């Protein structure tokens, strides 16, 4: 009797890539629903937008994002003669994920045609051109979002988000924020996905357990944001007034920090593959995010930061040699020093800028 | 699930392979039609350095020599011996109490104890090179599929402990380590604990549910240097409790190694059993005893550990001392997906190298990068393939990379 052979090892564990994207899929759907619901209680300026409108618009954006993304991949695969794959829901999971993330990264007020462009650029130029899922270098969703952020800056508007208030606070303005509102997501959001941080934390935990995201990326990312913002806060406000902790808190729980930690930085295909490089990557992304937030013209720096991180990923992947305890400890210590240093450095840079503004104002007043 | 305990000790004929994985040349000591006794030397195999005898496992008549498939999937010479069912054995004097190292070594050679465990990083029992450490694994088969049947250890704990000590004396080893499982039942651990106390054997408990090449890590900690593909290079002998037990039998009782306990499992059989078989019996005969295979789907034979074992195209190979488990099941091939660069393979690698990056370098054909990544340190443990969520055979890529630069 003949037996079939196959190259060993023949057994493997229970982890499957497909299960991971499915878990991500479920999480994204939950976040989308939550985002629609939070629109119900975000205060809108009088007479501007009717409440159900905001909810419906959000829903429409998410639906369009997912639908267009699937459509583009389907059209492309018809060209390739692989369209039969799409009869299986399995094949739809990944395009829907990309479409949803793009929609979640734009504010509710975005015109639909801008969203359309973002999805087309993201899915085609960001993913299909590189060979589809698994082969791209840049996170496809972010490619699309960056494109429209740059080209349609005027159409993408948002109100006084907490980060805007903060940026002004660094320049001396005052603001009021209610802590509870911040936690449940009741504030003018920079993007649909920037909803309740509590929900995001729950999903974070779920995805960590199912191993969709890697603690060494997301954890390092969050920790770095924490340390850097604490540094900036300390230099600018001191520990006495409590403003420092507010600054840290707003940076942590509003904006896209948590959303990025859950859905963006840990995206496995465009992030490095070994323990040490993952940490370096996360630190680079977090520091860049904070730099843009404090010094740049933009309010939210995460999109740029992650794309930059993606860019250095191949370099990181092709320079590491091995991974062991000694290297791990050394990398951790170096990174910690760099992070603390950056926190203080950014804080001081912001301050000297303040002095410039101050002296400019004085001189302007004199003449 | 193993539900049965059986014996198959009196085959009509046995087929004894004359060479093995390391010893590739053999000199015959008997001719066709000679009568032989159980334990009698029928040939000497040679690995380039030392000669090891090949012994007959039954008494009877040598009826010829034949080229057959062995358990590694190679075609090699076998001696065929017909059983006379009298079990007349050679006489070996039991050695009591203190035994000189050289005497133990001679006795082990005489009894055909050299290659008992071959999966993964197990080594031969080879005293021709200096040895500093002995590691014995009490966990029945290799990671990640662990038998829960520890009857053998429970019954023979004393003999096993004595066997470990004898191996230690024979090799002048500095340390002796016994690896046991956290999930072993209390009685087994108790018996082993009682038996090993005061013998200078260190017992290390591992958690077999977490698959992560524990043996490799234990060995690495002992020598504190980069491990070679063959632990003998690092002055380690690493073998199983079965080897310790037969060492005891050979030295203390003068019994040559002619029987082996193996686990025969898989969904192709009606029952899964722990079999005590005569070494040299072909698997086909045992399968017949078990009522044949369920042939409704394509079958696959796997000898040894699931991660590092061998697969064969035929069940005509004879069971040797180095076979500890055989699995015959229907073949399930999972579809390979694209690498999602999750890095799970890089995290698990016990050698601390980066299989995903090696795979990438191999795909891009960059030799210098393959060398840079220390590809030669891979011990082919198979864990990278085991953890991959995309079901990529990562190890195969690492092997290819190794071949390219090596
Ligand atoms: S590369 Fe794979 S097979 Fe080789 S040592 Fe690492 S995990 Fe084991
Ligand atoms: S475990 Fe598999 S999918 Fe993950 S990085 Fe390694 S080869 Fe790629």
């Amino acid at each position: 009797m003949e037996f079939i052979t196959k190259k060993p090892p023949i057994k493997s564990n229970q982890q499957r890539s497909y299960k991971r994207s499915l878990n991500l899929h479920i999480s994204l759907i939950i976040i989308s629903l939550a985002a629609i619901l939070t629109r119900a209680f975000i205060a809108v300026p009088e007479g501007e937008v009717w409440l159900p409108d905001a909810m419906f618009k959000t829903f429409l954006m998410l639906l369009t994002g997912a639908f267009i993304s699937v459509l583009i991949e389907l059209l492309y695969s018809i060209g390739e003669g692989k369209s039969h794959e799409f009869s299986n829901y399995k094949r739809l999971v990944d395009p829907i994920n990309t479409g949803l993330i793009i929609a979640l990264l734009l504010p509710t007020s975005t015109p639909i045609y801008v969203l359309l462009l973002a999805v087309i650029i993201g899915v085609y130029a960001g993913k299909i051109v590189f060979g589809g899922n698994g082969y791209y270098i840049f996170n496809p969703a972010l490619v699309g979002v960056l494109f429209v952020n740059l080209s349609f800056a005027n159409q993408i508007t948002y109100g006084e988000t907490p980060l805007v208030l903060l940026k002004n606070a660094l320049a001396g303005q005052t603001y009021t924020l209610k802590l509870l509102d911040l936690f449940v997501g009741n504030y003018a959001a920079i993007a649909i996905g920037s909803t309740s941080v509590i929900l995001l934390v729950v999903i974070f935990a779920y995805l960590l357990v199912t191993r969709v995201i890697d603690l060494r990326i997301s954890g390092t990312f969050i920790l770095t944001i924490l340390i850097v913002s604490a540094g900036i806060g300390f230099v600018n406000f001191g520990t006495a007034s409590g403003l420092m902790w507010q600054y840290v808190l707003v940076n942590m729980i509003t904006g896209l920090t948590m959303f990025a930690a859950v859905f963006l930085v840990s995206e496995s295909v465009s992030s490095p593959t070994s323990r040490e490089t993952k940490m370096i990557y996360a630190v680079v992304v977090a520091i860049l995010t904070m730099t843009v937030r404090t010094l740049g013209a933009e309010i939210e720096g995460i999109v740029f930061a992650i794309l930059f991180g993606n860019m250095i990923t191949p370099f990181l992947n092709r320079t590491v040699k091995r991974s062991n305890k000694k290297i791990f400890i050394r990398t951790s210590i170096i990174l910690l020093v760099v992070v603390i240093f950056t926190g203080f450095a950014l804080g001081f840079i912001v301050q000297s800028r303040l002095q410039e503004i101050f002296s400019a104002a004085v001189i302007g007043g004199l003449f | 699930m193993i539900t049965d305990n059986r014996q198959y000790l009196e085959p009509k004929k046995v087929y004894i392979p004359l060479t093995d994985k390391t010893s590739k040349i053999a000199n015959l000591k008997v001719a066709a039609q000679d009568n032989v006794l159980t334990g009698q030397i029928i040939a000497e195999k040679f690995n380039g350095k030392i000669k090891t005898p090949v012994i007959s496992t039954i008494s009877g008549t040598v009826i010829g020599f034949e080229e057959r498939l062995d358990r590694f999937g190679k075609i090699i010479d076998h001696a065929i011996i017909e059983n006379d069912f009298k079990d007349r054995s050679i006489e070996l004097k039991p050695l009591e109490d203190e035994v000189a190292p050289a005497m133990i070594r001679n006795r082990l050679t005489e009894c055909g104890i050299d290659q008992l465990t071959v999966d993964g990083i197990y080594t031969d029992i080879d005293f021709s090179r200096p040895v500093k450490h002995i590691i014995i694994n009490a966990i029945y088969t290799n990671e990640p599929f662990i038998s829960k049947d520890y009857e053998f250890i429970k019954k023979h704990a004393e003999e096993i402990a004595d066997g470990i000590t004898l191996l230690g004396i024979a090799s002048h080893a500095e340390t002796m380590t016994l690896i046991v499982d956290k999930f072993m039942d209390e009685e087994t651990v108790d018996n082993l604990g009682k038996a090993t106390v005061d013998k200078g054997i260190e017992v290390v408990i591992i958690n077999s549910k977490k698959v992560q090449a524990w043996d490799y890590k234990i060995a690495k900690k002992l020598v504190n240097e980069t491990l070679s593909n063959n632990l003998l290079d690092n002055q380690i002998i690493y073998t199983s409790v079965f080897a310790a037990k037969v060492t005891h039998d050979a030295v203390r009782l003068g019994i040559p190694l002619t029987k082996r306990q193996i686990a025969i499992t898989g969904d192709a059989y009606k029952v899964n059993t722990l079999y005590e078989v005569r070494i040299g019996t072909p698997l086909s005969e045992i399968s017949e005893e078990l009522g044949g295979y369920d042939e409704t789907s394509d079958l696959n034979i796997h000898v040894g550990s699931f991660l590092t074992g061998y697969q064969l195209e035929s069940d005509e190979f004879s069971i040797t001392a180095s076979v500890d488990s055989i699995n015959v099941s229907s073949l399930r091939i999972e579809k390979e997906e694209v690498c999602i660069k999750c890095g799970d393979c890089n995290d698990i690698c016990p050698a601390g190298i980066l299989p995903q990056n090696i795979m990438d370098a191999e795909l891009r054909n960059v030799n210098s990068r393959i060398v840079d990544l220390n590809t030669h340190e891979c011990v082919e443990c198979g864990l990278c393939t085991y953890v991959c969520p995309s079901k990529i055979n990562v190890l195969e890529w690492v092997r290819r990379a190794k071949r390219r630069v090596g």
Side-chain angles (χ1 to χ4, degrees):
Chain A
M1 146 147 211
E2 279 283 302
F3 293 86
I4 315 269
T5 58
K6 179 188 166 235
K7 291 239 164 71
I10 56 163
K11 288 272 161 143
S12 62
N13 66 3
Q14 299 303 313
Q15 296 286 331
R16 296 290 180 276
S17 309
Y18 168 66
K19 278 195 212 156
R20 293 191 183 181
S21 27
L22 198 64
N23 278 321
L24 185 70
H25 190 61
I26 296 167
S27 313
L28 277 169
I29 289 176
I30 295 175
I31 279 292
S32 304
L33 292 177
I36 296 172
L37 289 179
T38 37
R39 301 303 119 178
F41 53 80
I42 292 179
V44 265
E46 214 124 324
E48 254 187 37
V49 199
W50 190 45
L51 194 80
D53 271 4
M55 283 178 79
F56 181 70
K57 178 70 188 307
T58 311
F59 173 70
L60 194 69
M61 293 224 357
L62 292 164
L63 195 70
T64 321
F67 178 72
I68 299 299
S69 172
V70 172
L71 193 70
I72 299 168
E73 290 221 15
L74 181 65
L75 285 178
Y76 186 75
S77 70
I78 288 176
E80 297 256 284
K82 286 190 196 150
S83 55
H84 59 272
E85 289 174 358
F86 279 80
S87 56
N88 194 339
Y89 191 71
K90 253 185 172 184
R91 184 67 184 80
L92 297 181
V93 168
D94 185 62
I96 293 181
N97 286 354
T98 313
L100 281 182
I101 292 182
I102 294 182
L104 284 169
L105 280 172
L106 294 169
T108 314
S109 58
T110 318
I112 291 289
Y113 68 88
V114 173
L115 172 73
L116 268 179
L117 269 174
V119 178
I120 292 172
I121 298 286
V123 175
Y124 186 73
K127 195 196 264 177
I128 292 177
V129 164
F130 288 101
N133 190 18
Y135 298 104
Y136 46 80
I137 294 172
F138 296 104
N139 190 329
L142 294 178
V143 172
V145 172
L146 179 71
F147 173 77
V148 294
N149 266 339
L150 294 180
S151 341
F152 296 93
N154 293 335
Q155 278 86 340
I156 299 173
T157 56
Y158 33 80
E160 295 259 282
T161 76
L163 278 177
V164 176
L165 297 176
L166 264 195
K167 202 158 192 164
N168 297 338
L170 282 181
Q173 285 182 18
T174 53
Y175 62 93
T176 45
L177 282 172
K178 280 210 221 77
L179 207 58
L180 183 70
D181 287 350
L182 292 185
F183 274 103
V184 295
N186 182 13
Y187 50 82
I190 189 163
I192 299 175
S194 153
T195 58
S196 164
V197 73
I198 299 173
L199 183 68
L200 281 169
V201 169
V202 172
I203 290 187
F204 184 78
Y206 172 70
L207 291 182
L208 259 188
V209 173
T210 51
R211 307 193 52 188
V212 177
I213 55 179
D214 192 325
L215 189 61
R216 284 160 306 181
I217 298 185
S218 294
T220 314
F221 174 77
I222 293 178
L223 207 66
T224 310
I225 297 262
L226 183 82
I227 298 175
V228 173
S229 59
I232 299 174
F234 177 73
V235 172
N236 283 284
F237 306 114
T239 42
S241 65
L243 272 174
M244 168 187 165
W245 297 114
Q246 254 184 45
Y247 185 79
V248 174
L249 201 66
V250 172
N251 267 302
M252 293 297 295
I253 67 178
T254 73
L256 290 169
T257 311
M258 266 321 273
F259 185 81
V262 179
F263 295 111
L264 301 176
V265 263
S266 250
E267 201 278 324
S268 66
V269 178
S270 55
S271 62
T273 53
S274 66
R275 189 166 61 179
E276 290 79 13
T277 47
K278 278 178 178 175
M279 287 167 52
I280 298 174
Y281 165 85
V283 165
V284 168
V285 171
I287 287 182
L288 269 175
T289 305
M290 287 311 290
T291 312
V292 177
R293 277 187 188 174
T294 47
L295 304 180
E298 295 283 329
I299 296 302
E300 182 52 279
I302 276 182
V303 175
F304 305 99
I306 295 179
L307 284 172
F308 182 83
N310 293 165
M311 195 174 80
I312 62 166
T313 294
F315 170 76
L316 288 176
N317 272 345
R318 283 167 198 189
T319 23
V320 280
K321 299 225 165 104
R322 57 184 312 140
S323 153
N324 58 30
K325 228 191 232 149
K326 223 165 74 198
I327 301 177
F328 176 70
I329 294 171
R330 206 168 54 203
T331 322
S332 311
I333 294 174
I334 295 177
L335 286 178
L336 191 66
V337 172
V338 168
V339 168
I340 294 175
F341 175 78
T342 321
F344 282 100
L346 276 177
F348 284 118
I349 294 173
V350 172
Q351 255 191 352
S352 66
R353 209 201 208 184
L354 270 180
Q355 279 161 4
E356 274 170 37
I357 297 168
F358 180 67
S359 41
V362 170
I363 295 165
L366 279 178
F367 291 100
Chain B
M1 268 287 287
I2 293 176
T3 52
D4 234 356
N5 250 306
R6 295 193 190 184
Q7 284 188 326
Y8 189 74
L9 295 176
E10 297 302 335
K12 281 201 199 72
K13 288 178 200 163
V14 289
Y15 303 81
I16 311 271
L18 298 178
T19 55
D20 62 30
K21 203 169 143 197
T22 38
S23 304
K24 305 242 153 91
I25 312 168
N27 275 333
L28 275 178
K29 294 281 172 195
V30 290
Q33 307 313 327
D34 280 4
N35 281 327
V36 291
L37 303 173
T38 310
Q40 185 180 332
I41 295 170
I42 54 171
E44 263 175 351
K45 54 188 175 188
F46 186 60
N47 67 0
K49 259 210 222 122
I50 44 164
K51 282 186 184 156
T52 332
V54 179
I55 60 170
S56 168
T57 56
I58 51 171
S59 62
T61 320
V62 178
I63 56 171
F65 302 93
E66 195 181 287
E67 287 200 327
R68 295 169 61 93
L69 188 78
D70 77 348
R71 61 142 299 182
F72 299 107
K74 299 251 155 56
I75 303 287
I76 60 163
D77 284 323
H78 285 64
I80 308 171
I81 302 168
E82 196 169 47
N83 200 347
D84 61 6
F85 299 102
K86 292 195 186 110
D87 201 13
R88 293 167 292 129
S89 179
I90 53 160
E91 302 280 334
L92 289 172
K93 205 168 111 285
L95 305 171
E96 310 267 321
D97 305 324
E98 298 276 302
V99 195
M103 279 171 84
I104 303 176
R105 291 202 290 259
N106 284 343
R107 176 57 63 87
L108 293 184
T109 329
E110 272 172 335
C111 290
I113 297 172
D114 61 326
Q115 202 175 68
L116 288 174
T117 28
V118 291
D119 287 333
I121 57 171
Y122 282 119
T123 64
D124 292 355
I125 298 177
D126 179 347
F127 298 110
S128 62
R129 291 197 266 171
V131 170
K132 273 206 184 128
H133 310 281
I134 304 251
I135 306 176
I136 307 281
N137 198 341
I139 301 167
Y140 188 64
T141 46
N142 214 346
E143 289 177 294
F145 288 85
I146 317 276
S147 161
K148 293 281 170 288
D149 189 307
Y150 290 111
E151 272 315 306
F152 179 78
I153 300 178
K154 244 180 261 173
K155 249 201 274 168
H156 303 293
E158 288 291 337
E159 284 122 305
I160 290 167
D162 184 53
I164 301 174
T165 321
L166 289 170
L167 285 171
I169 296 171
S171 60
H172 304 284
E174 286 165 18
T175 70
M176 292 175 276
T177 311
L178 177 66
I179 307 178
V180 300
D181 187 355
K182 195 174 151 190
F183 298 101
M184 274 180 181
D185 55 289
E186 233 169 83
E187 202 188 333
T188 310
V189 178
D190 268 5
N191 290 3
L192 274 181
K194 262 185 241 146
T196 50
V197 80
D198 296 338
K199 292 211 168 79
I201 301 170
E202 200 198 335
V203 179
V204 180
I205 302 170
I206 64 153
N207 176 355
S208 63
K209 289 245 163 75
K210 263 201 204 147
V211 177
Q212 50 165 277
W214 292 100
D215 45 5
Y216 185 97
K217 289 186 179 151
I218 289 165
K220 179 135 192 193
K221 217 165 153 196
L222 277 179
V223 294
N224 205 5
E225 61 186 12
T226 309
L227 295 186
S228 126
N229 282 359
N230 184 353
L231 287 190
L232 286 169
D233 297 342
N234 299 84
Q235 311 195 326
I236 296 174
I237 286 184
Y238 174 35
T239 185
S240 62
V241 278
F242 179 73
K245 161 78 165 62
V246 295
T247 302
H248 167 90
D249 290 354
V251 177
R252 301 294 191 203
L253 311 172
I255 303 176
L257 174 60
T258 61
K259 300 171 207 162
R260 178 72 158 111
Q261 195 176 40
I262 56 176
I264 299 190
T265 56
D267 53 20
Y269 292 114
K270 290 187 195 79
V271 275
N272 284 189
T273 46
L274 217 50
Y275 243 110
E276 193 173 8
V277 296
R278 188 68 71 174
I279 290 167
T281 317
L283 174 66
S284 49
E285 243 176 272
I286 296 170
S287 295
E288 230 164 82
E289 273 280 304
L290 275 169
Y293 308 109
D294 166 12
E295 291 183 27
T296 44
S297 55
D298 284 343
L299 296 179
N300 161 273
I301 299 185
H302 198 92
V303 179
S305 141
F306 284 112
L307 294 187
T308 51
Y310 292 79
Q311 289 177 48
L312 301 170
E313 277 159 16
S314 150
D315 58 357
E316 292 297 331
F317 67 94
S318 43
I319 286 153
T320 66
S322 61
V323 175
D324 57 1
S325 60
I326 295 173
N327 181 286
V328 185
S329 359
S330 52
L331 185 68
R332 274 177 299 265
I333 296 184
E334 288 207 47
K335 198 172 154 262
E336 233 177 66
E337 279 165 59
V338 49
C339 169
I340 56 164
K341 311 215 170 64
C342 59
D344 285 0
C345 49
N346 288 349
D347 292 340
I348 195 88
C349 179
I353 56 174
L354 307 170
Q356 197 279 333
N357 301 48
I358 294 170
M359 182 166 90
D360 177 62
E362 169 64 21
L363 278 166
R364 293 185 297 126
N365 303 330
V366 222
N367 291 4
S368 60
R369 183 80 181 118
I370 295 175
V371 177
D372 263 4
L373 282 162
N374 302 299
T375 309
H376 65 278
E377 282 178 29
C378 166
V379 288
E380 313 215 348
C381 65
L383 282 173
C384 41
T385 307
Y386 175 76
V387 298
C388 179
S390 290
K391 303 301 125 208
I392 298 167
N393 196 339
V394 188
L395 169 56
E396 195 48 36
W397 286 99
V398 177
R399 280 202 192 111
R400 250 184 250 180
K402 254 190 191 174
R403 245 175 277 141
R404 174 199 291 270
V405 295

mmCIF file of all heavy atoms in Angstrom, chain B residues 339-345 356 359 388-390 392 394, ligand 2:
data_model
loop_
_atom_site.group_PDB
_atom_site.id
_atom_site.type_symbol
_atom_site.label_atom_id
_atom_site.label_comp_id
_atom_site.label_asym_id
_atom_site.label_seq_id
_atom_site.Cartn_x
_atom_site.Cartn_y
_atom_site.Cartn_z
ATOM 1 N N CYS B 339 2.348 35.284 3.943
ATOM 2 C CA CYS B 339 2.950 35.651 5.226
ATOM 3 C C CYS B 339 2.434 37.020 5.658
ATOM 4 O O CYS B 339 2.542 37.987 4.919
ATOM 5 C CB CYS B 339 4.468 35.697 5.075
ATOM 6 S SG CYS B 339 5.318 36.433 6.469
ATOM 7 N N ILE B 340 1.845 37.086 6.851
ATOM 8 C CA ILE B 340 1.325 38.374 7.313
ATOM 9 C C ILE B 340 2.354 39.105 8.172
ATOM 10 O O ILE B 340 2.046 40.064 8.853
ATOM 11 C CB ILE B 340 0.008 38.210 8.079
ATOM 12 C CG1 ILE B 340 0.178 37.243 9.237
ATOM 13 C CG2 ILE B 340 -1.109 37.756 7.171
ATOM 14 C CD1 ILE B 340 -0.953 37.341 10.250
ATOM 15 N N LYS B 341 3.568 38.605 8.182
ATOM 16 C CA LYS B 341 4.684 39.247 8.896
ATOM 17 C C LYS B 341 4.372 39.504 10.369
ATOM 18 O O LYS B 341 4.671 40.557 10.914
ATOM 19 C CB LYS B 341 5.072 40.564 8.210
ATOM 20 C CG LYS B 341 5.244 40.397 6.715
ATOM 21 C CD LYS B 341 6.341 41.287 6.172
ATOM 22 C CE LYS B 341 6.668 40.955 4.739
ATOM 23 N NZ LYS B 341 5.574 41.195 3.809
ATOM 24 N N CYS B 342 3.726 38.522 10.981
ATOM 25 C CA CYS B 342 3.342 38.710 12.377
ATOM 26 C C CYS B 342 4.541 38.521 13.295
ATOM 27 O O CYS B 342 4.556 38.999 14.411
ATOM 28 C CB CYS B 342 2.264 37.710 12.749
ATOM 29 S SG CYS B 342 2.791 36.012 12.530
ATOM 30 N N GLY B 343 5.555 37.788 12.825
ATOM 31 C CA GLY B 343 6.742 37.609 13.646
ATOM 32 C C GLY B 343 6.629 36.515 14.689
ATOM 33 O O GLY B 343 7.528 36.353 15.506
ATOM 34 N N ASP B 344 5.559 35.739 14.664
ATOM 35 C CA ASP B 344 5.434 34.651 15.632
ATOM 36 C C ASP B 344 6.585 33.663 15.507
ATOM 37 O O ASP B 344 7.071 33.123 16.495
ATOM 38 C CB ASP B 344 4.117 33.895 15.419
ATOM 39 C CG ASP B 344 2.936 34.671 15.933
ATOM 40 O OD1 ASP B 344 3.156 35.786 16.440
ATOM 41 O OD2 ASP B 344 1.790 34.170 15.833
ATOM 42 N N CYS B 345 7.007 33.421 14.259
ATOM 43 C CA CYS B 345 8.088 32.456 14.056
ATOM 44 C C CYS B 345 9.384 32.993 14.653
ATOM 45 O O CYS B 345 10.156 32.247 15.248
ATOM 46 C CB CYS B 345 8.244 32.135 12.583
ATOM 47 S SG CYS B 345 8.327 33.566 11.511
ATOM 48 N N GLN B 356 11.674 34.346 9.795
ATOM 49 C CA GLN B 356 10.925 35.128 8.798
ATOM 50 C C GLN B 356 11.896 35.930 7.939
ATOM 51 O O GLN B 356 11.750 36.003 6.736
ATOM 52 C CB GLN B 356 9.931 36.062 9.492
ATOM 53 C CG GLN B 356 8.838 36.609 8.570
ATOM 54 C CD GLN B 356 9.286 37.796 7.736
ATOM 55 O OE1 GLN B 356 10.177 38.534 8.130
ATOM 56 N NE2 GLN B 356 8.696 37.956 6.570
ATOM 57 N N MET B 359 13.652 33.686 5.552
ATOM 58 C CA MET B 359 12.767 33.346 4.440
ATOM 59 C C MET B 359 12.751 34.485 3.422
ATOM 60 O O MET B 359 12.825 34.260 2.216
ATOM 61 C CB MET B 359 11.368 33.088 5.000
ATOM 62 C CG MET B 359 10.347 32.689 3.998
ATOM 63 S SD MET B 359 8.898 32.033 4.824
ATOM 64 C CE MET B 359 7.944 33.503 5.058
ATOM 65 N N CYS B 388 3.277 29.170 12.822
ATOM 66 C CA CYS B 388 2.879 30.106 11.761
ATOM 67 C C CYS B 388 1.364 30.099 11.541
ATOM 68 O O CYS B 388 0.782 29.071 11.244
ATOM 69 C CB CYS B 388 3.576 29.756 10.454
ATOM 70 S SG CYS B 388 3.078 30.852 9.132
ATOM 71 N N PRO B 389 0.708 31.248 11.684
ATOM 72 C CA PRO B 389 -0.745 31.283 11.497
ATOM 73 C C PRO B 389 -1.137 31.166 10.024
ATOM 74 O O PRO B 389 -2.278 30.861 9.722
ATOM 75 C CB PRO B 389 -1.143 32.643 12.055
ATOM 76 C CG PRO B 389 0.059 33.480 11.896
ATOM 77 C CD PRO B 389 1.237 32.572 12.048
ATOM 78 N N SER B 390 -0.191 31.417 9.121
ATOM 79 C CA SER B 390 -0.504 31.293 7.702
ATOM 80 C C SER B 390 -0.184 29.903 7.175
ATOM 81 O O SER B 390 -0.296 29.654 5.981
ATOM 82 C CB SER B 390 0.278 32.330 6.903
ATOM 83 O OG SER B 390 -0.221 33.618 7.166
ATOM 84 N N ILE B 392 2.586 28.430 6.706
ATOM 85 C CA ILE B 392 3.724 28.352 5.793
ATOM 86 C C ILE B 392 4.733 27.390 6.389
ATOM 87 O O ILE B 392 4.939 27.386 7.602
ATOM 88 C CB ILE B 392 4.354 29.750 5.631
ATOM 89 C CG1 ILE B 392 3.346 30.708 5.030
ATOM 90 C CG2 ILE B 392 5.624 29.697 4.813
ATOM 91 C CD1 ILE B 392 3.754 32.156 5.113
ATOM 92 N N VAL B 394 7.788 27.277 7.214
ATOM 93 C CA VAL B 394 8.919 28.194 7.367
ATOM 94 C C VAL B 394 10.234 27.424 7.421
ATOM 95 O O VAL B 394 11.229 27.797 6.807
ATOM 96 C CB VAL B 394 8.759 29.045 8.641
ATOM 97 C CG1 VAL B 394 9.811 30.118 8.690
ATOM 98 C CG2 VAL B 394 7.377 29.645 8.717
HETATM 99 S S1 LIG C 2 4.764 33.067 11.596
HETATM 100 FE FE1 LIG C 2 4.211 32.774 9.413
HETATM 101 S S2 LIG C 2 2.959 34.566 8.924
HETATM 102 FE FE2 LIG C 2 4.021 35.040 10.832
HETATM 103 S S3 LIG C 2 5.897 36.093 10.184
HETATM 104 FE FE3 LIG C 2 6.412 33.929 10.381
HETATM 105 S S4 LIG C 2 6.126 33.106 8.328
HETATM 106 FE FE4 LIG C 2 5.056 35.050 8.366
#
